[in-house]
């Protein structure tokens, strides 16, 4: 085990924020975690698990011991009548996994193409795009208990998936997910090592999303292949979302809020053009990007942090932004959306 001190984290967070880890250990195998726990000094420290760094805002140097997940490997581990079961190491790049599964002839992840980050981070925030969420393709995962070093497996119910949410985003003792009484938080308590996905043998395209419907209309392709959808999703994302390699960002900065039908009717009466979607459970989801845009934030900046010109839901690092500047901008946006619409926006990334 190599214990690195004073490690620059700028290359390890997609916002490109300058910060340092006091202590960092790379986890390529389970034994790396067990070695940390066998060391009395390291074992006693609080832990911060770092994946692809695509959903975090660093507001300063990280004092807890950073465990950087670099577990690699991907393979078919099983097959049922319904699905191919594919397992990938938590340190694998998510988008590469999507491309690889398609190339192997196991479709199902195409709507989730080009999402930045690692495989291990995918369940943490239950990544989702264009009508598919990770939980729709999830089979199970392996994780290590950061107190004992023991491996345990969790199925979907145990992960407590919700909209951009899971047990891994909640601190111990803090309930999460739909099964609030059962799922207790695992943030800082568990390190995901392997993720298993169930990719349906009877593949059906998921095309309900407006941007994909537009692609069908434009192209005239009525029955797109998985590769075609993959291509379209990459095009849509490239047109709307900044490439973190070029301009630092963490994807959508806020979750799309849900309101009751009564609240929505009230808002529509005042703002007839508000973009909203009816959900199956009777509530209504509002487009946070639209709300922020309507408050005039698109293209604006606070210090070196800004609101992306093409999608107001994405905050960007214009150059050398600190986590503090990003959070100041985020709070200013929350205040103006609350003052105008009475809606509290909840950040999507984890603020460290
Ligand atoms: N809109 C505006 N102005 C804006 C931005 C959006 O009017 O500045 C309107 C759009 O015209 C559209 C609606 O808001 O009618 C929704 O926008 P979009 O289709 O871009 O999707 P989104 O709701 O902003 C969500 C996810 C994305 C995901 C896309 C596609 C959240 C928080 N975000 O964005 O996920 O890629 O849908 O499924 O749920 C992420 O989580 O990091 C992420 C990028």
């Amino acid at each position: 085990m190599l214990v690195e001190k004073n490690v620059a984290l700028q290359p390890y967070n997609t916002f490109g924020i300058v910060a340092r880890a006091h202590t960092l250990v790379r986890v390529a195998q389970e034994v790396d975690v067990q070695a940390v726990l066998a060391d009395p000094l390291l074992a006693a420290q609080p832990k911060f698990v770092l994946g692809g760094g695509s959903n975090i805002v660093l507001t300063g140097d990280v004092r807890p011991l950073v465990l950087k997940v670099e577990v690699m490997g991907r393979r078919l581990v099983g097959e049922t009548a319904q699905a191919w079961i594919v397992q990938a190491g938590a340190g694998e790049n998510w988008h590469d996994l999507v491309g690889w599964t398609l190339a192997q002839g196991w479709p199902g992840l195409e709507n989730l193409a080009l999402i930045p980050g690692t495989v291990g981070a995918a369940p943490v925030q239950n990544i989702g795009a264009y009508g598919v969420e990770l939980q729709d393709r999830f089979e199970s995962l392996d994780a290590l208990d950061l107190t004992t070093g023991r491996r345990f497996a969790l199925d979907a119910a145990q992960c407590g998936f919700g909209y951009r949410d899971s047990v891994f985003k909640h601190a111990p003792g803090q309930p999460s997910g739909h099964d609030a009484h059962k799922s207790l938080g695992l943030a800082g308590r568990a390190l995901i090592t392997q993720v298993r996905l169930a990719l349906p043998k009877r593949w059906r395209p998921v095309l309900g999303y407006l941007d994909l419907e537009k692609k069908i209309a434009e192209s005239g392709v009525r029955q797109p292949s998985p590769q075609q959808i993959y291509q379209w999703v990459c095009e849509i994302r490239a047109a709307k979302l900044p490439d973190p390699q070029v301009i630092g960002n963490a994807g959508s900065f806020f979750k799309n809020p849900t309101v009751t039908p009564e609240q929505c009717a009230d808002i529509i009466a005042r703002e007839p053009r508000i973009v909203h979607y009816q959900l199956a459970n009777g509530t209504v989801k509002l487009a946070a990007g639209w709300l922020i845009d309507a408050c005039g934030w698109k293209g604006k900046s606070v210090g070196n942090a800004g609101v992306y010109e093409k999608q107001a839901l994405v905050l960007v690092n214009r150059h050398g932004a600190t986590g503090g500047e990003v959070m100041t901008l985020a709070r200013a946006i929350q205040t103006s959306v609350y003052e105008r619409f009475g809606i509290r926006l909840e950040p999507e990334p984890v603020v460290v």
Side-chain angles (χ1 to χ4, degrees):
M1 173 186 54
L2 181 66
V3 181
E4 297 171 51
K5 294 280 180 192
N6 204 25
V7 181
L9 293 177
Q10 189 181 16
Y12 300 150
N13 75 97
T14 61
F15 244 121
I17 291 170
V18 174
R20 290 187 169 268
H22 286 215
T23 317
L24 181 144
V25 171
R26 291 169 203 273
V27 176
Q29 305 170 61
E30 291 187 356
V31 289
D32 296 325
V33 171
Q34 281 137 11
V36 165
L37 298 178
D39 178 309
L41 271 181
L42 295 177
Q45 285 186 35
K47 320 271 184 309
F48 175 73
V49 179
L50 177 64
S54 61
N55 207 43
I56 54 170
V57 184
L58 297 172
T59 55
D61 290 346
V62 181
R63 283 169 194 284
L65 167 63
V66 175
L67 297 173
K68 183 164 185 300
V69 184
E70 297 182 351
V71 181
M72 304 310 275
R74 50 193 190 196
R75 63 198 172 98
L76 188 71
V77 289
E79 189 184 335
T80 66
Q82 285 81 35
W84 309 103
I85 311 297
V86 171
Q87 175 173 295
E92 289 282 341
N93 175 274
W94 173 263
H95 177 68
D96 290 348
L97 176 70
V98 174
W100 179 76
T101 53
L102 281 177
Q104 304 301 308
W106 309 318
L109 300 180
E110 55 285 345
N111 294 51
L112 302 175
L114 222 57
I115 296 182
T118 53
V119 167
V124 175
Q125 63 149 345
N126 185 23
I127 57 170
Y130 310 103
V132 177
E133 283 185 313
L134 180 86
Q135 65 176 340
D136 303 325
R137 303 285 181 259
F138 182 85
E139 204 261 341
S140 59
L141 58 77
D142 291 337
L144 293 175
D145 182 317
L146 289 178
T147 322
T148 63
R150 271 194 224 113
R151 183 195 313 151
F152 61 97
L154 294 183
D155 63 19
Q158 291 166 317
C159 287
F161 290 127
Y163 166 56
R164 297 294 190 278
D165 198 23
S166 77
V167 285
F168 301 101
K169 269 182 106 167
H170 293 257
Q174 191 193 353
S176 81
H178 304 303
D179 244 348
H181 57 292
K182 282 190 197 151
S183 319
L184 289 174
L186 288 176
R189 289 286 286 274
L191 181 145
I192 298 169
T193 52
Q194 302 284 344
V195 177
R196 283 173 294 276
L197 302 165
L199 304 178
K201 287 186 174 172
R202 266 191 233 140
W203 175 82
R204 284 204 201 103
V206 180
L207 297 169
Y209 203 87
L210 187 68
D211 284 338
L212 285 171
E213 281 173 0
K214 277 191 205 151
K215 288 283 184 192
I216 293 177
E218 280 165 20
S219 66
V221 178
R222 301 252 146 251
Q223 286 179 322
S225 65
Q227 281 75 13
Q228 176 65 83
I229 296 171
Y230 170 87
Q231 193 58 44
W232 283 341
V233 168
C234 289
E235 286 169 16
I236 294 164
R237 290 188 75 96
K240 265 193 188 178
L241 299 167
D243 176 354
Q245 305 276 13
V246 182
I247 199 168
N249 76 94
S252 299
F253 198 90
F254 298 101
K255 296 183 187 187
N256 285 327
T258 47
V259 293
T260 63
E262 295 74 31
Q263 284 171 308
C264 188
D266 205 43
I267 298 171
I268 289 173
R270 289 189 286 129
E271 307 279 347
R273 289 171 302 117
I274 194 160
V275 176
H276 60 287
Y277 318 91
Q278 204 71 46
L279 298 185
N281 66 5
T283 61
V284 183
K285 186 171 270 193
L286 305 177
W290 188 93
L291 299 173
I292 298 166
D293 200 359
C295 291
W297 279 104
K298 211 183 241 175
K300 294 271 167 64
S301 297
V302 167
N304 294 315
V307 180
Y308 191 51
E309 285 73 10
K310 295 181 205 163
Q311 162 53 297
L313 196 48
V314 178
L315 303 193
V316 294
N317 181 351
R318 298 243 186 255
H319 189 70
T322 62
E325 282 174 316
V326 172
M327 294 314 295
T328 303
L329 173 60
R331 278 190 285 271
I333 291 171
Q334 282 171 312
T335 303
S336 64
V337 168
Y338 184 71
E339 282 172 358
R340 169 129 181 227
F341 299 103
I343 291 165
R344 290 186 197 280
L345 292 180
E346 193 190 328
E348 196 190 79
V350 175
V351 180
V352 185

